[in-house]
Amino acid sequence: MALRIGIAGAGVLGRLLAYTLSRAGHAVQVFDPASGPGPRADSGSLAAGWTAAGMLSPVAELERAGNEVFALGLRSCQLWPQIVQSLSQPVALHMQGSLLLAHRSDAGAAQRVVGLLQAKADAPYQPQPLSLPQLCELEPSISGPALAWLLPSEGQIHPIQTLQALAAQATAQGTQWHWGRTVTAVDVGVIGVGEVQHRFDHVFDVRGAGAKPALPVRGVRGEVFWLHAPGVPLHRPVRLLHPRHSIYMVPRPDDVIVIGASEIESEDRSPVSLRSTVELLSAAHSAMPALAEARVVHTETNLRPALPDNLPVIRHRAGTTEINGLFRHGWLIAPALVEQALHELKL
Ligand SMILES: Cc1cc2nc3c(=O)[nH]c(=O)nc-3n(C[C@H](O)[C@H](O)[C@H](O)COP(=O)(O)OP(=O)(O)OC[C@H]3O[C@@H](n4cnc5c(N)ncnc54)[C@H](O)[C@@H]3O)c2cc1C
């Protein structure tokens, strides 16, 4: 039976829900304060999803996360190709593995992390040590680090393309978008926008860091840098394991490399700091000296939505479902979380 579904929030979760539920024939309406479906530069949207690097790293995230995120991540890595294939707009999705790198001087700290991943990940997903010639063959632009491991099951998705393509597809399937609408209350079957109450058969609260005070969610500040680096090819996401400044570098089309990300317990959305600039970019330069003449073309700050235990939650009440706490794994786990929530609801 086709239901009337309301969704508060048009971030990663909101758009995946809209796409999935409208595809299943439900009548979906989405509410978000952003001025439109485009990237935040155009719309002022606050979705963390726009800023994310889009790494799909179930194994590397095991350094800090547990089995739940690992399992959701592996499942999502199966689901993303199916989703991307069904979208009419193109989305760059690459599953060519990712690399862990370390300088020789940081070998102790790096071995500790790799040991942790080996202990937590099942055999087929474990880090595979690479010799320097093997590293050079995979990524000729990397010349600083002496230690490298391949995580073959990992990949990346283009967040901006995906958010836009999901919205376009959901629109084509009949979803109605209410842009410029800040939801002030989500209750049993009701989405409140100021004085106006919109009634539905079921509502989803996926407002990320904007779901306070309904959920004890906090925003965790993250800063990223976009470098334009023509002639410095990078084919897959890489992480530099470092005792103090762990960074990642993620290739995007048109010679762009995204460098990220700080993780600061603050809800400050102001521009990137000098400290993060120095720490992240010098670590990136140490791993890829060829980046010296790259141009910093864009910087961005956003807030990862996190619950007190840093774990995701799906909470059902009559007529209402809350999904939140995707923290630093939203792109990695959102498809599996949506699948699980809709399975629990029998939708
Ligand atoms: C710097 C950075 C790097 C990251 N890198 C990665 C990565 O490489 N891989 C990965 O898997 N994850 C990454 N993440 C995490 C990922 O982006 C988040 O986990 C994910 O975006 C969370 O999805 P969400 O839909 O819950 O929230 P969001 O994407 O934040 O969307 C929430 C939506 O709710 C809307 N909203 C807020 N308040 C209201 C309101 N009152 N009414 C209506 N709507 C409202 C917002 O406008 C927004 O559109 C990164 C995040 C950051 C900040």
Side-chain angles (χ1 to χ4, degrees):
M1 186 183 71
L3 299 178
R4 281 170 45 83
I5 305 278
I7 300 174
V12 185
L13 284 172
R15 292 175 193 229
L16 267 174
L17 281 165
Y19 152 81
T20 310
L21 288 163
S22 58
R23 187 176 160 90
H26 300 293
V28 179
Q29 298 187 37
V30 187
F31 301 78
D32 195 287
S35 56
R40 55 179 303 186
D42 304 329
S43 68
S45 167
L46 300 179
W50 293 112
T51 309
M55 281 191 300
L56 304 177
S57 320
V59 181
E61 287 295 316
L62 275 174
E63 182 189 352
R64 313 257 305 275
N67 285 339
E68 183 187 359
V69 168
F70 180 57
L72 289 165
L74 290 181
R75 175 64 185 147
S76 295
C77 288
Q78 293 175 331
L79 291 172
W80 273 124
Q82 299 166 26
I83 295 169
V84 164
Q85 208 176 16
S86 75
L87 301 173
S88 46
Q89 288 186 10
V91 166
L93 168 73
H94 303 292
M95 299 302 294
Q96 294 163 303
S98 76
L99 296 178
L100 300 176
L101 306 174
H103 294 292
R104 197 171 296 289
S105 54
D106 300 327
Q111 291 290 358
R112 209 190 120 262
V113 173
V114 170
L116 195 66
L117 303 187
Q118 281 165 340
K120 286 171 126 181
D122 304 328
Y125 307 109
Q126 297 212 340
Q128 299 175 0
L130 295 178
S131 65
L132 280 182
Q134 286 172 321
L135 172 62
C136 185
E137 197 173 316
L138 286 177
E139 297 293 353
S141 302
I142 294 173
S143 58
L147 302 167
W149 295 263
L150 175 68
L151 301 176
S153 58
E154 303 206 331
Q156 64 175 110
I157 192 162
H158 195 306
I160 298 171
Q161 289 178 353
T162 312
L163 287 170
Q164 290 179 309
L166 284 170
Q169 194 72 31
T171 305
Q173 293 164 183
T175 296
Q176 287 180 35
W177 304 87
H178 301 271
W179 300 113
R181 297 285 180 278
T182 300
V183 172
T184 45
V186 179
D187 208 341
V188 182
V190 173
I191 286 186
V193 180
E195 299 297 301
V196 185
Q197 302 221 319
H198 300 265
R199 297 196 174 277
F200 298 94
D201 298 316
H202 197 88
V203 299
F204 290 86
D205 185 351
V206 284
R207 288 177 287 170
K212 267 191 293 197
L215 277 169
V217 67
R218 71 187 195 286
V220 179
R221 175 177 164 97
E223 298 152 294
V224 297
F225 299 80
W226 292 18
L227 303 186
H228 184 234
V232 188
L234 185 66
H235 303 100
R236 53 183 58 70
V238 302
R239 291 178 191 240
L240 182 65
L241 302 175
H242 187 280
R244 283 182 301 281
H245 319 305
S246 296
I247 59 140
Y248 53 71
M249 297 180 271
V250 180
R252 291 255 173 99
D254 302 321
D255 301 319
V256 169
I257 297 177
V258 178
I259 312 284
S262 59
E263 191 177 311
I264 301 166
E265 284 296 339
S266 163
E267 297 199 338
D268 176 2
R269 289 182 183 270
S270 63
V272 300
S273 68
L274 171 82
R275 182 189 191 137
S276 297
T277 308
V278 171
E279 290 179 355
L280 271 72
L281 295 190
S282 49
H285 178 238
S286 76
M288 284 176 71
L291 286 177
E293 283 304 316
R295 297 297 187 256
V296 181
V297 290
H298 181 64
T299 63
E300 204 164 304
T301 305
N302 215 320
L303 303 182
R304 307 171 179 92
L307 290 165
D309 57 5
N310 290 341
L311 290 174
V313 73
I314 301 173
R315 196 165 73 174
H316 303 292
R317 291 180 284 134
T320 310
T321 298
E322 296 159 297
I323 314 177
N324 212 316
L326 277 62
F327 190 34
R328 40 184 290 139
H329 320 292
W331 286 99
L332 175 63
I333 64 176
L337 272 180
V338 165
E339 180 184 59
Q340 184 183 328
L342 298 184
H343 177 74
E344 287 164 3
L345 289 166
K346 300 189 174 46
L347 281 175

